[in-house]
Amino acid sequence: MTVHAVLVDPPRPGLVLPDLTDDLLSDAEAADLYAAMARDAIAAAAASGGDLLVNYRPTDLLPEEYEGVDAEAGVRALAADALPDLDDVRFEVQVGSTHAARVGNTVTHLLRDEDAASVAAVDPRAPLLDHTTLDSAAMKLRRCDVVLGPSQRGRVHYAGFADTLDFADAYHPPEVDTLAARAADAGLDTDFAPASPVVTDEAGLADLLPLLSARERAGRRVPTHTAAVVDDLGLHVTDDRTVTRHSD
């Protein structure tokens, strides 16, 4: 069984999605969007056939201006909004000074110390990642050592591991190529999950919004929390891929 580790930050204004807050969104609106995407990621992992681990960055790993933030409480509130109950949800703090170190520590601990069959690091900013895709990737992890979900500009929205590798700087851009190279260096087989957009800035949002709209028009599943916030904010994409708001 795969442990799906959703790596979440407390959704504090100014901390999350800072590259979306120059002209398009306020800090509070960006935090609302991040929280919605994280809820959808948590719900997808909970609905999958694997185990859900909400892996959060604790207060002492946040920038100094967030010293008084209760990181655990903020992340637990996210999960409580996403799920009917938290009985089967595991919460653990991240350990490490960089994103790559935090992923590596989580994956290595679960594989080596807890004998997990496989571990997947899930980016909460990829709201189109659903439980079907997670289960499909978990099936691939039974046959190969590493499964990567590519995203725009060389990012990954999903990285699953049935064995360990050298995680030092393993998320150096382009992430998908660096992780594949580390897997090859360790003699591990790599496969891939379907591509999906990660929202970190306006370009990522421009990738997501047309897919959300198209899925809604086609009557297909959409990430409900993300879609609701996008609708509330009036976000849409113009012909030149500029994200704007209906109220503008």
Side-chain angles (χ1 to χ4, degrees):
M1 185 176 292
T2 299
V3 179
H4 295 115
V6 185
L7 284 84
V8 183
D9 286 338
R12 300 290 295 185
L15 175 65
V16 295
L17 302 183
D19 292 333
L20 268 175
T21 58
D22 289 339
D23 300 312
L24 184 62
L25 301 177
S26 68
D27 287 350
E29 289 170 335
D32 287 343
L33 177 60
Y34 178 90
M37 294 190 294
R39 290 186 191 102
D40 286 320
I42 289 169
S48 75
D51 292 328
L52 169 59
L53 166 62
V54 177
N55 200 209
Y56 62 93
R57 192 156 48 131
T59 302
D60 61 359
L61 290 181
L62 299 179
E64 290 184 4
E65 59 267 34
Y66 299 97
E67 183 177 351
V69 170
D70 187 339
E72 180 178 1
V75 170
R76 282 184 175 272
L78 273 183
D81 287 341
L83 304 173
D85 62 68
L86 302 181
D87 292 346
D88 296 323
V89 183
R90 179 176 174 180
F91 294 86
E92 286 189 357
V93 297
Q94 299 172 19
V95 178
S97 59
T98 67
H99 178 71
R102 293 190 284 271
V103 171
N105 287 331
T106 295
V107 170
T108 301
H109 167 68
L110 291 170
L111 290 177
R112 291 184 177 174
D113 301 333
E114 299 196 8
D115 295 323
S118 56
V119 183
V122 176
D123 193 320
R125 302 166 299 178
L128 294 182
L129 185 62
D130 61 13
H131 69 89
T132 302
T133 304
L134 290 174
D135 287 338
S136 176
M139 289 294 293
K140 290 185 176 185
L141 282 168
R142 296 182 181 181
R143 305 187 299 271
C144 63
D145 304 303
V146 177
V147 174
L148 302 176
S151 190
Q152 74 276 21
R153 286 168 286 170
R155 290 192 175 95
V156 293
H157 61 83
Y158 173 100
F161 306 91
D163 204 344
T164 59
L165 47 78
D166 180 4
F167 282 98
D169 298 321
Y171 277 75
H172 182 78
E175 297 170 358
V176 66
D177 192 35
T178 304
L179 284 163
R182 294 298 173 83
D185 289 344
L188 306 180
D189 296 327
T190 299
D191 203 344
F192 297 91
S196 191
V198 173
V199 178
T200 61
D201 54 19
E202 184 175 341
L205 194 54
D207 289 330
L208 173 68
L209 293 176
L211 293 173
L212 274 181
S213 178
R215 293 185 70 86
E216 287 177 331
R217 292 179 191 278
R220 300 290 182 171
R221 187 205 72 86
V222 296
T224 55
H225 298 285
T226 303
V229 170
V230 164
D231 185 62
D232 287 344
L233 294 174
L235 298 172
H236 70 288
V237 181
T238 63
D239 293 344
D240 64 355
R241 282 183 47 84
T242 299
V243 179
T244 175
R245 303 173 72 157
H246 287 302
S247 58
D248 290 350

